[in-house]
Each structure stands twice: as structure tokens, then as C-alpha cells.
Amino acid sequence: RSELFFRDGRLDKLNIFDAALVICTSLDLYLLRPISDSQVLSLSVFRLLRFVRFARSLRVASSLHFLVTLRLMINAIGASFNSLFWSAVLLLGVMIMAALVICQSLQGVLADSDSAIAPKTRTWIYMHYGTPIRAIWSIFEFTFGGGLKNQSRKLVEEVSNWYAVFFSAYVFLVMFALFRIITA
């Protein structure tokens, strides 16, 4: 048992800390919480301090020679987060602009109750493009989910053929060109 708290003849403080943490958390969970209804002191916050020990073990692992390739890959992933963030911001901005254009262009169709568009189609248009949030979600769905046929065909066939130009331009400029540029 002394091996748990001693390493190489010295006292291992982190093992003592872990043991104290487990005992205190167990007391808190199994004895104190059932007795009192209020949570005046929660000892589970101290579990975060175990992260310090994990970080220390990562420092030791980084000095091992056979993990050089892994370390290089992790550094490359970490360095690419800035580019990933700004790519996502750019893509989100383009999607919002496209959604606002299509939402605004369909407001006349939704407002005109005497048009030749069927009420079922109007309901569909409102559910997919009637508000800016719905339009953004629809654009997001077909940009990343591949449901362009389901989101565009009804507009092209029943509202106006000019929506084919909009969706073709969106597919070429965003889903093809912008994605390839971001990927490169």
C-alpha cells in the first residue's frame, strides 16, 4: 500500500491528492447530498484539478522520441484552427446573404394572395424561405446536406424559372468554387 503514495522512495503528492479527491467527492456524493437539500459546497469542482496531472503526463509523453510524428500532426491541426475559423465565417456570411436574397425575393409571392401559385406551394415556400431564419436553415441544409433538389425544384417549376439561375450560380460559386478554395 505504501507503493501507492511513494515512488522511488519519495512521497508522491499527486497520488495523495487523487486519493483525497476521491474520498471527499464520495463523501459529498453519498453522504452529504442525501442529508441536505441545498448544495452549499460542491467538491466536484476540484475534479478539474486532475487536469493538471493529465497535462503533466502529456509533457512527459511529448519528450518521447517515437511520438515526434504525432506531435507534428497535432501542431499542424492546432495551427490550422485560425484558417478554419475564418473559412467558416466566410461561408456563413455567403450563406446568410444568399438566404436573405431568396427570402426577400419570395416575399412578393407570399404576400400576393391572388397569384396562380397553389396554397400548398405557398405554405411550402413559407416553411422553407418565409422568414430569414427559415431561409438560412434551408440554405444550410442544401449546402451541407445535399438536399438542393428538394429545396429548389418547387421554386423553379412553380414560382419562376429565374430561380434556376440563382441556384445554379449558388452551386457553382459556393458549393463548388468556394469549397475548393477553402479545401486548398
Side-chain angles (χ1 to χ4, degrees), residues 40 103 107 154 176:
V40 177
C103 177
Q107 291 305 308
K154 199 171 270 200
F176 178 73

Side-chain angles (χ1 to χ4, degrees), residues 7-8 10-18 49-64:
R7 182 180 299 162
D8 299 329
R10 295 181 311 184
L11 186 65
D12 191 1
K13 295 175 186 170
L14 290 176
N15 280 350
I16 293 173
F17 172 73
D18 283 343
L49 294 177
R50 294 179 108 180
F51 182 73
V52 173
R53 184 171 185 182
F54 177 69
R56 187 176 134 214
S57 65
L58 283 179
R59 209 169 0 134
V60 170
S62 69
S63 67
L64 297 176

Side-chain angles (χ1 to χ4, degrees), residues 37-100:
D37 291 334
S38 66
Q39 292 186 356
V40 177
L41 177 66
S42 178
L43 297 176
S44 61
V45 175
F46 292 111
R47 288 183 188 167
L48 295 176
L49 294 177
R50 294 179 108 180
F51 182 73
V52 173
R53 184 171 185 182
F54 177 69
R56 187 176 134 214
S57 65
L58 283 179
R59 209 169 0 134
V60 170
S62 69
S63 67
L64 297 176
H65 181 67
F66 65 90
L67 295 177
V68 171
T69 309
L70 178 63
R71 202 170 1 130
L72 183 63
M73 247 195 303
I74 290 172
N75 289 340
I77 290 170
S80 68
F81 274 121
N82 194 22
S83 298
L84 176 66
F85 172 75
W86 287 111
S87 299
V89 168
L90 174 66
L91 191 57
L92 182 66
V94 170
M95 288 181 355
I96 288 172
M97 286 190 293
L100 293 177

Side-chain angles (χ1 to χ4, degrees), residues 108-135:
V109 173
L110 292 173
D112 186 17
S113 60
D114 297 332
S115 70
I117 297 172
K120 187 176 179 181
T121 303
R122 280 163 139 31
T123 304
W124 183 89
I125 291 171
Y126 177 77
M127 294 303 291
H128 289 86
Y129 301 105
T131 65
I133 297 297
R134 291 173 191 250

Side-chain angles (χ1 to χ4, degrees), residues 84 87-96 136-148 151 170 174-175 178-179 182:
L84 176 66
S87 299
V89 168
L90 174 66
L91 191 57
L92 182 66
V94 170
M95 288 181 355
I96 288 172
I136 290 169
W137 181 249
S138 295
I139 296 286
F140 179 83
E141 277 183 329
F142 71 72
T143 301
F144 293 112
L148 180 64
Q151 300 288 348
Y170 185 84
V174 175
M175 295 172 70
L178 190 60
F179 277 7
I182 289 172

